[in-house]
Amino acid sequence: MRFRESISILFIMLIAVPVAGELKFHPFQDDFRVSFGTTAFFFFLLWLRPSLLAGMLTGAVVVLFRCMLDWINMDEFVWNYSLQMHMPAFFFYATFASLFSLFRVNDLHHRPLWVGLLGTIAEIGANMVELSFRAPNWAHVIQLSFIGPIAVIALIRSFFVLSFFNMIKLRQAIWKKEEERHRNERVLMLISNLYEESIHLQKTLSQVEDITRDCYELYREMKDQPQQGDSERYARQMLMIAGQVHEVKKDNQRIYAGLSKLISDENVRDYMPLGELISIIVRAQEKYAKMLDKDIRFEVNVDAPYLACHIYTTLSLVNNLVANAVEAIEDRGMVSIVATIDESKEWVQFSVADDGPGISVKDKELLFMPGYTTKYDVSGKPSTGIGLCYVKEVMDNLHGHIEISEQAEKFATVFTIRLPNASIVQKR
């Protein structure tokens, strides 16, 4: 725990414990009291390290607070008498904290039963010390009529505090797990985008290689031609262009190598259950739809939710199709995501459908062309048009198929992709 947090908890404890101590009753009809102050004190000790200093400070503040109340309420206030009457409370809190530190209770949070039992023992011991200061001798303290009620109250109070403390810790654990899940999802989506970019970069490398070879071939042809006018100068320029393109290629290769090292090493962590992957996509697209001020409902049907599929391939392909569906819907609508496996267990199929305006027949032939788009933002700026081009390219590389159909049941457009099981499902 950070220092500032410890100071804040200690400060709150020094206020809360004296005030809670005034909610009390006297079980033995004398100055000895049972109050909520001990409950609050035990609760705060579970958060503090070290606890001995906290106990001594709390005991001192409690004594001063009770003396101040006597000064306010009594007509004839006698300082020595008030201090003598309340001073045993200091030894109660100091003893409680000492035993708490001695037992190393805060190192046993993973064993709540021991925490409850040791807390009970610490409270019983602290009560006995306080009673010893109030009673004329130890014979009056070590009696079953005194120890029995004290032990029962301590046991009930300790486990009550412990249950409340564990409820808070459980809530914190759930919150941290949720935060970790959000972080992991963001990382997975980021890497899936990098995976998509690496495919484009790989294609670019191939094109640059072709351009370099063509430039060099043209240079050789020009060199072989009879020297006429500026042909020699043009040949040198062509060789220079070929060299510059080659440098671009090497730079892209370094970038591609870095991306490949990040995402291409296949291991168990590269695979996740299909149901979880689809859930990640739905949550991401729900946020996207909200950002676009669209009211979109998502319908999901996964035949094999525990089938381990390649994370980045699945996310990049299906997420592209779902994002297109979200963008196609104008204000409100529904997107359906269906994942199935055929009977032969050789193909995995994903269907993404939406009830948007649909796609005209003349657009279908151009839909997978690089740069082609039917979507424009409010300012009239077109989208990049590389999403479906990427999907088609990956499908071709993985020997899969993609189909578009219209007016399927209640949906205007349905994109269906089929991938070989071997290209996406983890090998056993």
Side-chain angles (χ1 to χ4, degrees):
M1 184 183 296
R2 290 177 295 182
F3 179 73
R4 288 186 178 180
E5 291 180 359
S6 298
I7 293 297
S8 299
I9 292 175
L10 178 61
F11 180 74
I12 296 171
M13 182 176 73
L14 294 179
I15 296 174
V17 172
V19 174
E22 297 309 306
L23 301 173
K24 61 186 183 295
F25 68 95
H26 298 268
F28 306 124
Q29 306 301 319
D30 56 13
D31 294 334
F32 180 80
R33 66 172 72 185
V34 174
S35 69
F36 282 98
T38 306
T39 305
F41 183 63
F42 184 23
F43 176 76
F44 284 112
L45 283 184
L46 289 171
W47 297 95
L48 284 174
R49 296 184 186 186
S51 52
L52 178 57
L53 178 61
M56 298 182 68
L57 288 175
T58 303
V61 171
V62 166
V63 172
L64 292 175
F65 182 76
R66 292 177 184 177
C67 290
M68 184 183 69
L69 290 180
D70 289 345
W71 177 69
I72 294 172
N73 296 322
M74 289 182 177
D75 294 332
E76 296 182 4
F77 173 71
V78 179
W79 169 258
N80 291 337
Y81 172 76
S82 179
L83 185 62
Q84 182 180 1
M85 182 174 64
H86 297 304
M87 195 62 188
F90 170 82
F91 295 102
F92 168 83
Y93 288 105
T95 303
F96 195 122
S98 298
L99 293 174
F100 200 88
S101 297
L102 180 64
F103 295 153
R104 298 183 179 275
V105 176
N106 278 333
D107 293 332
L108 300 171
H109 286 182
H110 61 289
R111 304 178 70 179
L113 183 61
W114 275 105
V115 172
L117 292 175
L118 293 175
T120 301
I121 294 171
E123 184 175 340
I124 293 173
N127 279 319
M128 298 300 291
V129 170
E130 182 181 355
L131 280 171
S132 69
F133 279 95
R134 297 186 185 278
N137 54 62
W138 274 98
H140 287 78
V141 176
I142 307 176
Q143 294 183 20
L144 186 61
S145 59
F146 280 94
I147 298 176
I150 287 175
V152 172
I153 293 171
L155 184 67
I156 295 173
R157 185 154 50 189
S158 295
F159 279 93
F160 170 78
V161 171
L162 183 62
S163 62
F164 187 65
F165 174 78
N166 283 333
M167 286 174 61
I168 295 176
K169 296 289 284 186
L170 178 61
R171 181 58 190 167
Q172 285 184 334
I174 293 173
W175 178 78
K176 288 181 180 179
K177 184 177 180 180
E178 191 70 12
E179 285 294 306
E180 184 178 356
R181 182 179 65 81
H182 286 310
R183 284 196 300 271
N184 289 340
E185 287 183 3
R186 285 195 293 269
V187 170
L188 288 177
M189 294 303 294
L190 174 62
I191 296 179
S192 71
N193 290 335
L194 291 177
Y195 181 81
E196 181 176 340
E197 295 300 327
S198 72
I199 300 296
H200 289 298
L201 187 57
Q202 188 177 28
K203 181 180 178 182
T204 302
L205 283 173
S206 177
Q207 292 173 337
V208 170
E209 180 70 26
D210 292 339
I211 293 171
T212 304
R213 184 171 54 252
D214 292 342
C215 286
Y216 186 71
E217 289 296 329
L218 183 57
Y219 161 75
R220 291 183 60 183
E221 290 179 8
M222 294 180 69
K223 287 286 291 181
D224 292 340
Q225 294 294 327
Q227 300 297 320
Q228 296 178 355
D230 295 330
S231 61
E232 178 67 23
R233 180 167 57 88
Y234 290 147
R236 287 197 303 269
Q237 288 180 349
M238 189 60 63
L239 181 61
M240 185 181 299
I241 292 173
Q244 290 171 344
V245 173
H246 184 68
E247 287 300 316
V248 172
K249 172 195 166 186
K250 289 196 294 185
D251 290 340
N252 286 345
Q253 281 179 329
R254 283 192 289 269
I255 297 172
Y256 180 72
L259 288 176
S260 298
K261 184 177 181 180
L262 177 65
I263 61 181
S264 66
D265 293 333
E266 295 197 1
N267 51 54
V268 175
R269 291 177 298 176
D270 289 334
Y271 294 86
M272 280 180 63
L274 183 57
E276 292 185 27
L277 290 172
I278 299 299
S279 297
I280 291 173
I281 293 171
V282 170
R283 284 192 290 267
Q285 293 306 319
E286 283 176 340
K287 294 177 183 177
Y288 184 45
K290 188 175 181 180
M291 184 188 73
L292 297 176
D293 292 326
K294 295 183 179 183
D295 181 15
I296 298 178
R297 183 166 60 91
F298 292 85
E299 185 180 85
V300 176
N301 183 10
V302 181
D303 276 358
Y306 300 106
L307 184 69
C309 293
H310 191 261
I311 296 173
Y312 312 122
T313 304
T314 307
L315 285 180
S316 60
L317 289 174
V318 181
N319 192 59
N320 255 304
L321 297 180
V322 179
N324 284 339
V326 169
E327 292 169 355
I329 296 173
E330 293 182 359
D331 294 314
R332 62 177 60 217
M334 184 172 71
V335 175
S336 171
I337 307 171
V338 178
T340 57
I341 304 177
D342 70 340
E343 295 181 358
S344 64
K345 307 293 183 182
E346 294 181 358
W347 295 87
V348 180
Q349 178 172 299
F350 299 95
S351 295
V352 178
D354 66 80
D355 56 0
I359 302 172
S360 61
V361 177
K362 63 183 179 66
D363 289 336
K364 285 186 179 180
E365 297 178 359
L366 303 173
L367 208 55
F368 300 104
M369 296 293 293
Y372 181 80
T373 182
T374 60
K375 295 175 294 202
Y376 298 85
D377 60 18
V378 292
S379 63
K381 184 179 179 180
S383 67
T384 58
I386 62 173
L388 288 178
C389 172
Y390 162 76
V391 172
K392 181 68 165 61
E393 187 171 341
V394 173
M395 297 303 297
D396 291 342
N397 291 339
L398 298 178
H399 306 291
H401 309 286
I402 182 166
E403 299 174 355
I404 308 173
S405 57
E406 294 182 286
Q407 302 300 331
E409 298 180 0
K410 55 186 176 181
F411 300 105
T413 307
V414 181
F415 281 87
T416 302
I417 57 177
R418 298 179 74 238
L419 287 164
N421 193 310
S423 67
I424 194 171
V425 178
Q426 184 179 15
K427 300 177 181 63
R428 296 183 179 180

